[in-house]
Amino acid sequence: MNEAKVRNDKELHAHWNGVAKKVLLGKTIVDVRYLNDEEMEMMGWYSRPVCFFLNDGTSCILSCDDEGNDGGVLFYGANGVLPVL
């Protein structure tokens, strides 16, 4: 791997780690549920993922990809999965 690629990867990771920390770090989850029918229709999805809401009003919805093509699962701990329904 060339030096420019390594530097770009590090910058990319640093940027998105910073964004993730700004959105999530120190926040409190105040509600958790699966999407309802209206929300699924609005998203154009067939899979019903978990969503959660933070104390600052931010909503977090799990997607199968970064284009928002359908709902996705949440992996937690060593073997835990909250599936799409």
Side-chain angles (χ1 to χ4, degrees):
M1 187 177 295
N2 70 38
E3 189 175 317
K5 170 81 168 124
V6 170
R7 186 173 55 250
N8 287 340
D9 284 350
K10 286 182 180 180
E11 290 171 3
L12 181 68
H13 291 174
H15 169 76
W16 286 109
N17 281 333
V19 172
K21 286 179 181 181
K22 183 178 178 183
V23 171
L24 298 171
L25 192 62
K27 308 287 176 60
T28 303
I29 296 173
V30 297
D31 194 18
V32 178
R33 61 177 173 76
Y34 279 83
L35 289 185
N36 61 40
D37 291 341
E38 182 180 318
E39 292 163 332
M40 285 182 54
E41 184 176 325
M42 181 182 68
M43 300 292 284
W45 288 357
Y46 299 99
S47 299
R48 186 183 309 271
V50 164
C51 58
F52 59 94
F53 304 88
L54 304 178
N55 60 318
D56 67 352
T58 299
S59 59
C60 300
I61 302 170
L62 301 170
S63 175
C64 69
D65 59 29
D66 59 357
E67 294 177 340
N69 287 312
D70 208 352
V73 303
L74 172 67
F75 293 103
Y76 65 92
N79 298 309
V81 177
L82 291 176
V84 294
L85 302 178

PDB file of all heavy atoms in Angstrom, residues 1 4-14:
ATOM      1  N   MET A   1       0.851  -1.178   0.000  1.00  0.00           N
ATOM      2  CA  MET A   1       0.000   0.000   0.000  1.00  0.00           C
ATOM      3  C   MET A   1       0.894   1.238   0.000  1.00  0.00           C
ATOM      4  O   MET A   1       1.836   1.324   0.781  1.00  0.00           O
ATOM      5  CB  MET A   1      -0.904  -0.043   1.240  1.00  0.00           C
ATOM      6  CG  MET A   1      -1.932   1.024   1.264  1.00  0.00           C
ATOM      7  SD  MET A   1      -3.070   0.947   2.656  1.00  0.00           S
ATOM      8  CE  MET A   1      -3.924  -0.569   2.379  1.00  0.00           C
ATOM      9  N   ALA A   4       0.468   7.560   0.216  1.00  0.00           N
ATOM     10  CA  ALA A   4      -0.678   8.457   0.010  1.00  0.00           C
ATOM     11  C   ALA A   4      -1.986   7.758   0.368  1.00  0.00           C
ATOM     12  O   ALA A   4      -2.876   8.360   0.975  1.00  0.00           O
ATOM     13  CB  ALA A   4      -0.716   8.952  -1.429  1.00  0.00           C
ATOM     14  N   LYS A   5      -2.105   6.481   0.007  1.00  0.00           N
ATOM     15  CA  LYS A   5      -3.313   5.707   0.324  1.00  0.00           C
ATOM     16  C   LYS A   5      -3.469   5.561   1.836  1.00  0.00           C
ATOM     17  O   LYS A   5      -4.558   5.739   2.377  1.00  0.00           O
ATOM     18  CB  LYS A   5      -3.232   4.330  -0.354  1.00  0.00           C
ATOM     19  CG  LYS A   5      -4.291   3.352   0.068  1.00  0.00           C
ATOM     20  CD  LYS A   5      -5.590   3.582  -0.642  1.00  0.00           C
ATOM     21  CE  LYS A   5      -6.521   2.408  -0.397  1.00  0.00           C
ATOM     22  NZ  LYS A   5      -7.779   2.792   0.175  1.00  0.00           N
ATOM     23  N   VAL A   6      -2.372   5.253   2.517  1.00  0.00           N
ATOM     24  CA  VAL A   6      -2.408   5.108   3.979  1.00  0.00           C
ATOM     25  C   VAL A   6      -2.833   6.416   4.622  1.00  0.00           C
ATOM     26  O   VAL A   6      -3.679   6.449   5.514  1.00  0.00           O
ATOM     27  CB  VAL A   6      -1.040   4.641   4.521  1.00  0.00           C
ATOM     28  CG1 VAL A   6      -0.994   4.717   6.034  1.00  0.00           C
ATOM     29  CG2 VAL A   6      -0.738   3.221   4.055  1.00  0.00           C
ATOM     30  N   ARG A   7      -2.272   7.533   4.152  1.00  0.00           N
ATOM     31  CA  ARG A   7      -2.607   8.845   4.707  1.00  0.00           C
ATOM     32  C   ARG A   7      -4.080   9.160   4.462  1.00  0.00           C
ATOM     33  O   ARG A   7      -4.784   9.623   5.348  1.00  0.00           O
ATOM     34  CB  ARG A   7      -1.704   9.915   4.086  1.00  0.00           C
ATOM     35  CG  ARG A   7      -1.883  11.277   4.724  1.00  0.00           C
ATOM     36  CD  ARG A   7      -0.872  12.319   4.244  1.00  0.00           C
ATOM     37  NE  ARG A   7      -0.858  12.474   2.804  1.00  0.00           N
ATOM     38  CZ  ARG A   7       0.142  12.078   1.999  1.00  0.00           C
ATOM     39  NH1 ARG A   7       1.207  11.487   2.491  1.00  0.00           N
ATOM     40  NH2 ARG A   7       0.070  12.272   0.689  1.00  0.00           N
ATOM     41  N   ASN A   8      -4.581   8.883   3.257  1.00  0.00           N
ATOM     42  CA  ASN A   8      -5.987   9.141   2.943  1.00  0.00           C
ATOM     43  C   ASN A   8      -6.913   8.271   3.785  1.00  0.00           C
ATOM     44  O   ASN A   8      -7.948   8.740   4.244  1.00  0.00           O
ATOM     45  CB  ASN A   8      -6.254   8.933   1.456  1.00  0.00           C
ATOM     46  CG  ASN A   8      -5.671  10.050   0.612  1.00  0.00           C
ATOM     47  OD1 ASN A   8      -5.397  11.139   1.117  1.00  0.00           O
ATOM     48  ND2 ASN A   8      -5.457   9.777  -0.652  1.00  0.00           N
ATOM     49  N   ASP A   9      -6.563   6.998   3.973  1.00  0.00           N
ATOM     50  CA  ASP A   9      -7.370   6.109   4.813  1.00  0.00           C
ATOM     51  C   ASP A   9      -7.407   6.618   6.247  1.00  0.00           C
ATOM     52  O   ASP A   9      -8.459   6.632   6.888  1.00  0.00           O
ATOM     53  CB  ASP A   9      -6.833   4.678   4.785  1.00  0.00           C
ATOM     54  CG  ASP A   9      -7.168   3.946   3.503  1.00  0.00           C
ATOM     55  OD1 ASP A   9      -7.977   4.461   2.701  1.00  0.00           O
ATOM     56  OD2 ASP A   9      -6.619   2.848   3.302  1.00  0.00           O
ATOM     57  N   LYS A  10      -6.265   7.044   6.775  1.00  0.00           N
ATOM     58  CA  LYS A  10      -6.212   7.565   8.143  1.00  0.00           C
ATOM     59  C   LYS A  10      -7.044   8.830   8.270  1.00  0.00           C
ATOM     60  O   LYS A  10      -7.766   9.007   9.252  1.00  0.00           O
ATOM     61  CB  LYS A  10      -4.763   7.827   8.562  1.00  0.00           C
ATOM     62  CG  LYS A  10      -3.987   6.570   8.844  1.00  0.00           C
ATOM     63  CD  LYS A  10      -2.575   6.881   9.296  1.00  0.00           C
ATOM     64  CE  LYS A  10      -1.810   5.592   9.570  1.00  0.00           C
ATOM     65  NZ  LYS A  10      -0.434   5.867  10.005  1.00  0.00           N
ATOM     66  N   GLU A  11      -6.966   9.710   7.279  1.00  0.00           N
ATOM     67  CA  GLU A  11      -7.766  10.934   7.307  1.00  0.00           C
ATOM     68  C   GLU A  11      -9.258  10.619   7.221  1.00  0.00           C
ATOM     69  O   GLU A  11     -10.069  11.234   7.920  1.00  0.00           O
ATOM     70  CB  GLU A  11      -7.351  11.859   6.173  1.00  0.00           C
ATOM     71  CG  GLU A  11      -5.976  12.467   6.355  1.00  0.00           C
ATOM     72  CD  GLU A  11      -5.481  13.218   5.133  1.00  0.00           C
ATOM     73  OE1 GLU A  11      -6.228  13.331   4.136  1.00  0.00           O
ATOM     74  OE2 GLU A  11      -4.330  13.691   5.179  1.00  0.00           O
ATOM     75  N   LEU A  12      -9.603   9.666   6.375  1.00  0.00           N
ATOM     76  CA  LEU A  12     -11.000   9.261   6.232  1.00  0.00           C
ATOM     77  C   LEU A  12     -11.525   8.685   7.546  1.00  0.00           C
ATOM     78  O   LEU A  12     -12.603   9.074   8.009  1.00  0.00           O
ATOM     79  CB  LEU A  12     -11.131   8.226   5.111  1.00  0.00           C
ATOM     80  CG  LEU A  12     -12.539   7.719   4.814  1.00  0.00           C
ATOM     81  CD1 LEU A  12     -13.385   8.841   4.224  1.00  0.00           C
ATOM     82  CD2 LEU A  12     -12.475   6.540   3.860  1.00  0.00           C
ATOM     83  N   HIS A  13     -10.760   7.785   8.151  1.00  0.00           N
ATOM     84  CA  HIS A  13     -11.178   7.188   9.431  1.00  0.00           C
ATOM     85  C   HIS A  13     -11.267   8.244  10.519  1.00  0.00           C
ATOM     86  O   HIS A  13     -12.220   8.257  11.307  1.00  0.00           O
ATOM     87  CB  HIS A  13     -10.215   6.084   9.840  1.00  0.00           C
ATOM     88  CG  HIS A  13     -10.290   4.883   8.966  1.00  0.00           C
ATOM     89  ND1 HIS A  13      -9.428   3.831   9.088  1.00  0.00           N
ATOM     90  CD2 HIS A  13     -11.124   4.555   7.958  1.00  0.00           C
ATOM     91  CE1 HIS A  13      -9.714   2.918   8.185  1.00  0.00           C
ATOM     92  NE2 HIS A  13     -10.756   3.341   7.485  1.00  0.00           N
ATOM     93  N   ALA A  14     -10.291   9.154  10.562  1.00  0.00           N
ATOM     94  CA  ALA A  14     -10.317  10.219  11.571  1.00  0.00           C
ATOM     95  C   ALA A  14     -11.552  11.100  11.397  1.00  0.00           C
ATOM     96  O   ALA A  14     -12.208  11.463  12.380  1.00  0.00           O
ATOM     97  CB  ALA A  14      -9.046  11.055  11.479  1.00  0.00           C
TER      98      ALA A  14
END
